[in-house]
Amino acid sequence: MSNPSPFEYDPQYLLQVKDLKKYFPIKDGLLSRVVGHVKAVDGVTFNLKRGTTMGLVGESGCGKTTTGRTILRLNGGKTGGQVIFDGKEIYDLSNKEMHDYRTRMQIIFQDPFSSLSPRLPVGEIIGEAVREHNLVPRSEYNDYLDDIMDKCGLQPFHKERYPHEFSGGQRQRICIARALALNPEFVVCDEPVSALDVSIQAQIINLLQELQEQMNLTYLFISHDLSVVEHISDAVGVMYLGNLMEYGDTEDIFKNPLHPYTKALFSAIPIPDPNVKMNRIVLEGTIPSPANPPTGCKFHTRCKNCMGICKEVVPEQKEIEPGHFVVCHLYDDAKDISKE
């Protein structure tokens, strides 16, 4: 099935992101004049189906976290593009309307320790937003918290303890409980397991999958770990320097990566077999600055397949296979299914 056009709402998608841009001003001098912009997110387009998980991968500094935070309106305003959540443009909502929408969209932060207030007991951390939004009657408040904590693998007596009394895995369970206490539909998981031991990572990932089935959650799963993304995601997007270079179904992306950057990224996935020789694709050079990106395709300075057009013309997103999109001039002659 082809992607809907940029301004067409499709109810099968809970989230539709269209050409999203987020620039941060660079200021200099005594008067703090704006002398440039860091183009952290520079034209990201994708659709996320209800009840599914989209993995967002890429090198450090490519704009993954900024994309997630901009979708949730946690970075102030956007620079351009659209964020359509359940048919409504998030940035057209008033502050009061957005306050109500906060119950429907939540985030799990990367560092479970710094995202929890050290001065509040766990019960207060999890229940603070529940009281703010009046989700349950006061008489049912404690039972509601106990139920949420139980789903996340926490005990009722944990409510009286403080974050420093817990291990890293338990703190991340607290963060998950805090997000799910509002009964959201959409959750941005911002590298939720990167700060944890491998054995604990598996527990948290399994927990997220169980909760997704129970509560019909939709995840945007941001991660560096490609093996984790392959395991948990239904679709995958690959970012480079603020742009979404390729995205599609997980099986299609991992079996048949199209973009040269995706191929290089996936070649670094370790294979647990000593008899299999890894064909590692080593990218030369460094990632250009997002404050001064190269013209044309941003990846051309490190691409072995670079052509003359790559240095001058920005490539467009093309649907090469059903549901498989790529932004690369190597496929300019390929049939774009989305335009048929």
Side-chain angles (χ1 to χ4, degrees):
M1 183 176 178
S2 63
N3 224 36
S5 61
F7 303 100
E8 177 186 345
Y9 169 60
D10 190 330
Q12 71 171 315
Y13 299 112
L14 179 64
L15 179 69
Q16 292 177 272
V17 179
K18 309 297 181 185
D19 196 31
L20 181 65
K21 297 179 181 179
K22 177 61 181 179
Y23 299 167
F24 294 97
I26 302 172
K27 298 181 180 180
D28 192 21
L30 293 174
L31 300 178
S32 296
R33 290 176 177 170
V34 177
V35 296
H37 290 87
V38 174
K39 298 180 179 180
V41 181
D42 194 19
V44 168
T45 298
F46 66 86
N47 294 329
L48 182 53
K49 290 184 178 180
R50 298 172 186 273
T52 65
T53 300
M54 176 175 171
L56 199 57
V57 301
E59 294 169 291
S60 294
C62 68
K64 305 185 298 296
T65 295
T66 305
T67 298
R69 292 176 68 91
T70 304
I71 288 171
L72 297 181
R73 269 180 67 169
L74 296 179
N75 280 334
K78 62 181 180 179
T79 304
Q82 289 183 301
V83 181
I84 310 296
F85 181 81
D86 201 18
K88 290 190 176 182
E89 165 61 69
I90 287 296
Y91 283 87
D92 286 345
L93 300 176
S94 66
N95 289 337
K96 184 181 184 305
E97 290 173 324
M98 193 64 212
H99 177 270
D100 296 336
Y101 260 69
R102 290 293 178 203
T103 62
R104 303 181 63 185
M105 47 206 319
Q106 285 291 302
I107 184 169
I108 301 169
F109 294 100
Q110 178 178 358
D111 186 352
F113 188 69
S114 63
S115 63
L116 298 174
S117 172
R119 299 186 177 187
L120 294 178
V122 165
E124 186 67 20
I125 290 173
I126 297 173
E128 187 177 22
V130 175
R131 288 203 309 270
E132 167 68 23
H133 291 276
N134 297 314
L135 292 185
V136 293
R138 186 174 297 180
S139 60
E140 300 175 14
Y141 175 75
N142 285 322
D143 290 339
Y144 182 79
L145 287 193
D146 290 345
D147 180 57
I148 290 294
M149 292 176 69
D150 181 62
K151 286 181 178 178
C152 297
L154 298 168
Q155 300 299 320
F157 63 84
H158 286 153
K159 286 188 290 188
E160 307 303 323
R161 296 186 178 180
Y162 290 80
H164 72 272
E165 300 179 67
F166 294 88
S167 66
Q170 287 176 313
R171 283 197 288 261
Q172 194 60 286
R173 289 175 185 271
I174 295 168
C175 292
I176 294 171
R178 177 178 59 182
L180 298 189
L182 294 178
N183 195 26
E185 298 169 51
F186 172 62
V187 181
V188 174
C189 304
D190 186 9
E191 301 195 41
V193 297
S194 63
L196 307 176
D197 294 337
V198 175
S199 60
I200 305 301
Q201 286 184 11
Q203 295 177 21
I204 296 300
I205 290 167
N206 290 336
L207 174 63
L208 289 171
Q209 290 182 309
E210 290 170 8
L211 291 169
Q212 183 175 41
E213 292 180 8
Q214 293 175 19
M215 304 176 70
N216 194 32
L217 297 169
T218 304
Y219 291 146
L220 178 64
F221 191 89
I222 299 168
S223 179
H224 284 99
D225 193 327
L226 296 170
S227 299
V228 170
V229 167
E230 184 178 13
H231 173 72
I232 199 174
S233 302
D234 299 292
V236 176
V238 181
M239 284 193 72
Y240 180 81
L241 209 65
N243 290 118
L244 195 65
M245 295 300 190
E246 183 172 358
Y247 94 94
D249 292 341
T250 302
E251 186 175 356
D252 294 340
I253 292 284
F254 278 86
K255 280 189 176 180
N256 183 32
L258 299 176
H259 199 282
Y261 176 65
T262 308
K263 294 177 181 179
L265 204 63
F266 286 6
S267 73
I269 301 175
I271 301 174
D273 187 342
N275 298 317
V276 176
K277 184 179 179 181
M278 293 181 62
N279 297 316
R280 179 73 189 274
I281 301 174
V282 180
L283 296 176
E284 299 178 356
T286 58
I287 303 177
S289 168
N292 186 27
T295 57
C297 175
K298 293 181 180 179
F299 185 63
H300 84 257
T301 58
R302 305 172 73 193
C303 183
K304 293 182 179 179
N305 303 102
C306 180
M307 303 175 290
I309 190 174
C310 301
K311 301 177 182 179
E312 304 294 336
V313 181
V314 178
E316 296 182 357
Q317 188 182 77
K318 296 175 68 69
E319 187 176 20
I320 307 303
E321 301 168 348
H324 193 160
F325 297 80
V326 66
V327 179
C328 182
H329 285 300
L330 290 174
Y331 303 94
D332 282 352
D333 295 332
K335 185 181 291 186
D336 189 349
I337 298 174
S338 64
K339 294 183 179 179
E340 291 186 345

